[in-house]
């Protein structure tokens, strides 16, 4: 897993430093995202897997290598939290229960770009995503945190951008993925192959070009 992360880091560096071959150069997207997080937790010697929704903040980068093709990199921070307060049927003095999760992910890929007039374009293409996350449980003074879960997925996406002026626009995308997740805690090991969908929307900025 460490070797895979190192390879992805080198590939990301190559994407970010690749020479710009087209006059429109670079696009940078910032926005909100949603997706599915995969977790596991050890209990009685076995670690059972589960998934949960997450929302987050996403950065997208397009390096235009030609009129209709871009090398891409994305970085996402995912979060979710839930607070449960005891009701009338709870034991007397029962504390609040809080669940929270956090994650980060990196995606590298290539997008085909199709222009629609002078102000809009579609983008779609494959990529590979590395995801890492952890979950926390807290009830009163008792707290439990899972080990880190890792997931590597093949990911495909499609989206569109509409420029409001020469340098600023709106963008949105949806994607689907299938991957391999692994978890180890107290000697218990679990491997599973989750699939899910995701999406994002936000702003896009163009740098360079006419």
């Amino acid at each position: 897993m460490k070797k895979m992360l190192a390879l992805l880091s080198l590939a990301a560096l190559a994407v970010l430093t690749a020479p710009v071959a087209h006059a429109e150069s670079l696009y940078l997207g910032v926005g909100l995202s949603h997706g599915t997080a995969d977790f596991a937790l050890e209990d009685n010697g076995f670690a059972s897997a589960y998934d949960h929704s997450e929302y987050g903040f996403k950065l997208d980068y397009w390096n235009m290598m030609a009129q209709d093709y871009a090398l891409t990199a994305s970085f996402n921070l995912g979060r979710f939290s839930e607070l449960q307060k005891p009701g009338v049927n709870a034991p007397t003095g029962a504390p609040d229960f809080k669940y929270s999760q956090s994650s980060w992910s990196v995606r590298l890929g290539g997008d085909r770009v199709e222009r629609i007039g002078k102000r809009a374009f579609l983008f779609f293409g494959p990529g590979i995503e590395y995801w890492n996350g952890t979950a926390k449980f807290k009830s009163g003074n008792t707290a439990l945190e899972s080990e880190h879960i890792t997931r590597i997925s093949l990911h495909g996406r499609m989206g569109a951008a509409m420029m409001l002026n020469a340098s600023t626009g709106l963008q949105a995308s949806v994607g689907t993925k299938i991957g391999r997740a692994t978890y180890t805690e107290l000697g218990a090991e679990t491997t599973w192959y989750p699939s899910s969908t995701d999406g994002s929307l936000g702003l896009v900025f163009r740098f360079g070009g006419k």
Side-chain angles (χ1 to χ4, degrees), residues 78-159:
R79 295 291 185 271
F80 180 86
S81 64
E82 174 185 341
L83 177 62
Q84 298 180 17
K85 292 185 174 294
V88 296
N89 292 324
T92 302
D96 294 349
F97 174 80
K98 184 176 182 180
Y99 170 79
S100 62
Q101 62 188 47
S102 61
S103 71
W104 63 270
S105 63
V106 176
R107 179 190 185 275
L108 302 175
D111 278 352
R112 183 66 66 184
V113 179
E114 295 292 337
R115 306 287 171 173
I116 304 176
K118 295 182 178 181
R119 290 184 173 270
F121 60 89
L122 300 175
F123 57 90
F124 52 93
I128 184 169
E129 179 192 73
Y130 176 87
W131 181 95
N132 185 293
T134 185
K136 298 180 181 179
F137 308 80
K138 184 176 182 181
S139 180
N141 296 322
T142 302
L144 176 65
E145 181 175 358
S146 74
E147 299 294 335
H148 285 268
I149 299 93
T150 58
R151 183 183 72 204
I152 297 179
S153 304
L154 296 176
H155 184 273
R157 72 175 182 184
M158 64 181 301

Side-chain angles (χ1 to χ4, degrees), residues 24-96:
E24 291 193 357
S25 65
L26 309 175
Y27 288 87
L28 180 65
V30 295
L32 301 177
S33 64
H34 75 88
T36 300
D38 289 291
F39 298 103
L41 197 64
E42 191 274 340
D43 184 34
N44 294 324
F46 291 90
S48 298
Y50 69 96
D51 59 49
H52 203 292
S53 61
E54 67 175 355
Y55 59 87
F57 175 78
K58 186 179 181 183
L59 291 175
D60 280 304
Y61 174 86
W62 291 267
N63 187 340
M64 299 300 299
M65 305 303 293
Q67 171 73 19
D68 61 351
Y69 183 75
L71 294 178
T72 65
S74 301
F75 178 76
N76 189 80
L77 290 175
R79 295 291 185 271
F80 180 86
S81 64
E82 174 185 341
L83 177 62
Q84 298 180 17
K85 292 185 174 294
V88 296
N89 292 324
T92 302
D96 294 349

